[in-house]
Amino acid sequence: MAGELRLAVDLTSARIRAVVGFADGTAMVLPLDDVGWLANAVLVADDGSLLVGADAERRAAVVEAQRWVAQPGARLGEDIVVAGRRFEAADLVTALLRHVAACVASTVGATPSSVMVAAPAGWGPRRLAGLRRAAQVAGLDRVEVVTAPASVGWHLLCGGAALPYGATLLVCEVDTAGTSGTAGTACTATVLRRAVNGFDVLSCVDTATVVADLGAAGATPPRQRDAVEDLRTPPVPASAGDASRAGDGMSPQAGAGGDAGPAGGLIGEVVRRAVDGSAIAPGRLTLVCAAGAGAADVSVGTQLRAAAGVEPFLVAEAELAAALGALRSPPPGRRPTATPVSEPVTSPVPDRQGRVAGQAGWRDVAAALVPALWSVVLFGQFMAGSERYGPRQSIDAAMLLAAWGGLAFAATFGLIAAVGGLMLVTAARHEEAGAPVWVRHRLLAVSLAGGGVGGLVLAAVYATVAAGYFDLESGPLLRWSVLPVLPGMAAVLAVAVVVWRRPDPPRGSWLDWLRFPSPVTALVGFGAWLISYDERSSPAVLKLLEWQLQQWVTPSSEIIGPVGRLGGLCVGAGVGLLLARRTLHRLLLAVPLAALVAGSLGWRTTGMVAAGFAFAVAGWWAARAVWLLLRRLLLVPPTGWLASPASPVPVPAAAGITAGQGRSPHPAAAPHGDVSGSRWTG
């Protein structure tokens, strides 16, 4: 049996919880101190011995408060001076873990083959190394450390929560500040992203950080000021006769009648800072949940909803969630080693081709190459089909007979190619480098701005090359190349600014959402090519198409013939596809627009068609910028609005394991109500 037993210990809260798991998949909560939990504190006796558990709490009532060291794990790597004696924090943690190991031996009669310890997400390498050494000294071998928020994530996954790769999860761990019902609560908010090999921590904020910031600021609201003063007071145990130890180990409510304890007013601020630090906009998290001894308070859910913008849930077995999740988390050696999903996505499930949203694919390559190809082709057609009238190097003004609309089309396609190409290169480069998510989304915003400026520079280069080749003033050429690009460049810059401030896309990934439609560029580019040919009869390869069309359509004496009409048809259809999304709407818009452009096209209006396409491109980008600005106002419910029972957020179920001491798994967690004294149910 020694090779079949696993032990999980939660060291993150004021009460230590431990769970043992057996080979048949069942689990049992260790009856620590006969109530299922152990005070996460150590008492230093007069003779220098270390006491833990109920004995330590009984003696703490008659000794100096300085001898009581609460949560020594937070000071791992440091020396602690108690009553003139110096101790290493690891020695105090060893005393706690030795008590847990003794309980395992007396209850199960075996030594665990592996130990998983849940530790706070903010602990650094020095604390984690000290924790492993303390566990080994306590007689626990093969110790692995997993962060408590990740443990809660594994607990939710085992309970059936919908957390696919790329999903984002906010875990709010709410704990009593003392060990026996001391007033006040402590909170740690962590934002995680589900990756192939586990959970990645995006941000982590606790009440200690907020207290320090608010204390430094000096001016805090009265409620938060009370919370700050309460959390600054070191917790001490209650008297030995505290009735809380006589119960089942469940901590008292943080406040009476749904009112939060003194530190409860800080929970919203802690969560708000964690969400801001994760570079995910409020309301875009996949799941928000609360765990810990103080999570059952009604006000916790209210503050979570207000700060995160998502209907929160109370984790089943909230006090045991970290220990149960650590028990069910796969050992590091058995976890997949594939590249984790780290793009900010809202639908992260791979598609039929196995491509995960956020990764560059062939559509992104086509979105950059197709407009680049048409830009070069149309500019070459403009250069080859233009004729200069007037002597070169003369003070007399010369005239250029050219397809000016073709130059405007070429400049517009150059802008589209520059934006799409720079976005693609930036995303691919930093995806391979493994840059953090918030770095990549800001670099993507910079690439958008760079693409807009690059498109403008390319348009100016086109005008400069043509002016030098034809020996003409650059004014008319700049007017037809630079002016059509300016609205699009301004719209792209606006999108870049909004992307910088709004780090997650409305759906999919930024590459998916900002990808200019390749069918539109292909169709409009082909139409512009045909229109320019009808104006200047270049290139000669299209004469075969002209001859074929003349067999079906009676030729006319107008400059714009069947080839140009076909080009106008393609341009109008392409613009209709760009301006509408749904199939029916596209048919209703593209068909009449294509007929209108083809029927009204003339040699004097080809430039207007090119300018219209340039404005349509600018409008496409501008609409995305406006939607990013307005979607919070449209999609996030106002404060106090009751969530619909049919909430799109998946409801996590309780972990499917059996608990000891007569406990049974809770049903699926129900959503937390907001007002009227409604309570969390778990």
Side-chain angles (χ1 to χ4, degrees):
M1 185 175 178
E4 303 173 355
L5 191 67
R6 294 189 70 192
L7 172 65
V9 184
D10 177 17
L11 291 179
T12 60
S13 62
R15 293 174 177 177
I16 297 176
R17 304 258 181 186
V19 181
V20 290
F22 303 96
D24 59 359
T26 59
M28 181 183 72
V29 179
L30 281 180
L32 297 171
D33 279 4
D34 296 328
V35 292
W37 54 270
L38 173 68
N40 191 358
V42 178
L43 178 69
V44 179
D46 295 336
D47 58 357
S49 60
L50 303 178
L51 303 178
V52 299
D55 294 338
E57 289 199 66
R58 281 192 295 268
R59 296 187 59 179
V62 295
V63 300
E64 298 177 356
Q66 289 77 7
R67 294 181 179 271
W68 181 263
V69 182
Q71 298 189 0
R75 303 174 66 177
L76 279 170
E78 304 176 7
D79 290 339
I80 302 176
V81 179
V82 181
R85 291 184 174 89
R86 184 178 298 274
F87 299 90
E88 290 186 7
D91 297 336
L92 279 65
V93 177
T94 299
L96 294 169
L97 294 178
R98 187 178 286 119
H99 187 87
V100 174
C103 185
V104 174
S106 62
T107 304
V108 184
T111 302
S113 59
S114 62
V115 180
M116 301 295 292
V117 180
W123 283 14
R126 184 175 65 173
R127 288 181 180 176
L128 297 180
L131 177 59
R132 291 188 180 92
R133 289 194 301 269
Q136 292 174 357
V137 174
L140 301 176
D141 298 328
R142 296 183 59 187
V143 178
E144 297 292 344
V145 180
V146 59
T147 63
S151 299
V152 176
W154 290 114
H155 177 61
L156 294 176
L157 283 174
C158 293
L163 288 173
Y165 296 141
T168 53
L169 169 67
L170 186 144
V171 177
C172 183
E173 303 167 82
V174 186
D175 185 36
T176 56
T179 60
S180 299
T182 304
T185 56
C187 169
T188 300
T190 309
V191 180
L192 308 167
R193 188 181 302 281
R194 174 80 193 282
V196 176
N197 57 351
F199 290 89
D200 295 334
V201 177
L202 302 183
S203 66
C204 181
V205 179
D206 58 10
T207 48
T209 303
V210 177
V211 166
D213 291 346
L214 294 178
T220 57
R223 182 178 179 85
Q224 292 187 348
R225 190 180 305 116
D226 295 339
V228 170
E229 295 301 325
D230 185 78
L231 288 177
R232 282 175 174 169
T233 305
V236 295
S239 63
D242 190 351
S244 64
R245 292 201 62 86
D248 63 352
M250 300 299 290
S251 63
Q253 292 292 335
D259 188 18
L266 293 177
I267 294 177
E269 180 66 20
V270 171
V271 173
R272 192 174 299 107
R273 295 191 183 197
V275 174
D276 292 342
S278 67
I280 298 177
R284 299 302 302 169
L285 292 163
T286 305
L287 184 65
V288 174
C289 65
D297 192 89
V298 176
S299 63
V300 173
T302 304
Q303 295 184 67
L304 276 177
R305 181 192 297 107
V310 176
E311 180 68 19
F313 293 89
L314 177 64
V315 177
E317 299 283 4
E319 291 188 79
L320 295 170
L324 293 173
L327 182 68
R328 293 305 185 189
S329 64
R334 298 182 184 178
R335 296 178 185 176
T337 57
T339 303
V341 178
S342 55
E343 286 291 335
V345 298
T346 55
S347 301
V349 181
D351 57 17
R352 295 180 180 179
Q353 290 76 28
R355 174 175 173 265
V356 177
Q359 297 178 347
W362 65 268
R363 291 184 179 88
D364 305 290
V365 177
L369 289 183
V370 172
L373 175 64
W374 280 121
S375 179
V376 173
V377 168
L378 291 173
F379 181 69
Q381 185 185 35
F382 172 81
M383 297 291 291
S386 301
E387 295 184 27
R388 184 186 189 279
Y389 290 89
R392 291 179 177 269
Q393 298 183 354
S394 173
I395 61 174
D396 296 332
M399 182 180 66
L400 185 68
L401 190 60
W404 295 100
L407 179 59
F409 274 115
T412 304
F413 283 124
L415 173 66
I416 299 172
V419 173
L422 201 54
M423 283 179 54
L424 176 63
V425 171
T426 301
R429 177 181 177 183
H430 294 283
E431 178 181 342
E432 296 176 357
V437 176
W438 65 272
V439 173
R440 275 186 278 175
H441 103 262
R442 290 191 172 182
L443 288 175
L444 195 64
V446 173
S447 69
L448 274 171
V453 175
L456 182 66
V457 172
L458 181 62
V461 169
Y462 281 169
T464 303
V465 171
Y469 180 79
F470 293 110
D471 191 20
L472 293 171
E473 294 182 358
S474 58
L477 294 165
L478 289 172
R479 185 166 58 250
W480 282 100
S481 62
V482 173
L483 287 184
V485 173
L486 287 178
M489 185 200 70
V492 171
L493 292 180
V495 175
V497 172
V498 179
V499 168
W500 180 280
R501 299 184 59 187
R502 300 288 188 271
D504 62 310
R507 66 178 187 275
S509 69
W510 284 123
L511 286 179
D512 295 333
W513 199 67
L514 294 173
R515 183 194 306 122
F516 201 88
S518 299
V520 172
T521 54
L523 192 60
V524 175
F526 181 71
W529 191 42
L530 297 182
I531 293 174
S532 297
Y533 167 78
D534 229 11
E535 288 187 280
R536 302 303 306 158
S537 299
S538 176
V541 69
L542 289 177
K543 289 187 177 295
L544 179 62
L545 176 62
E546 182 182 18
W547 175 82
Q548 184 64 43
L549 290 177
Q550 288 178 352
Q551 306 302 313
W552 300 336
V553 181
T554 303
S556 63
S557 58
E558 298 179 358
I559 296 178
I560 300 298
V563 176
R565 303 292 178 190
L566 178 60
L569 196 72
C570 294
V571 172
V575 173
L577 295 178
L578 180 65
L579 298 180
R581 290 177 52 191
R582 300 183 182 276
T583 303
L584 179 60
H585 297 167
R586 284 180 168 179
L587 288 175
L588 295 177
L589 181 62
V591 172
L593 190 59
L596 177 64
V597 175
S600 61
L601 189 66
W603 72 273
R604 296 181 183 274
T605 61
T606 55
M608 294 179 59
V609 172
F613 174 68
F615 277 104
V617 171
W620 186 84
W621 273 315
R624 270 153 171 67
V626 172
W627 173 245
L628 287 175
L629 290 173
L630 296 182
R631 67 189 177 99
R632 283 192 181 183
L633 300 177
L634 297 175
L635 300 182
V636 177
T639 303
W641 186 267
L642 293 179
S644 171
S647 176
V649 182
V651 180
I657 60 177
T658 337
Q661 301 296 317
R663 296 178 181 268
S664 60
H666 283 243
H672 164 53
D674 187 276
V675 293
S676 302
S678 56
R679 302 294 298 272
W680 290 82
T681 58

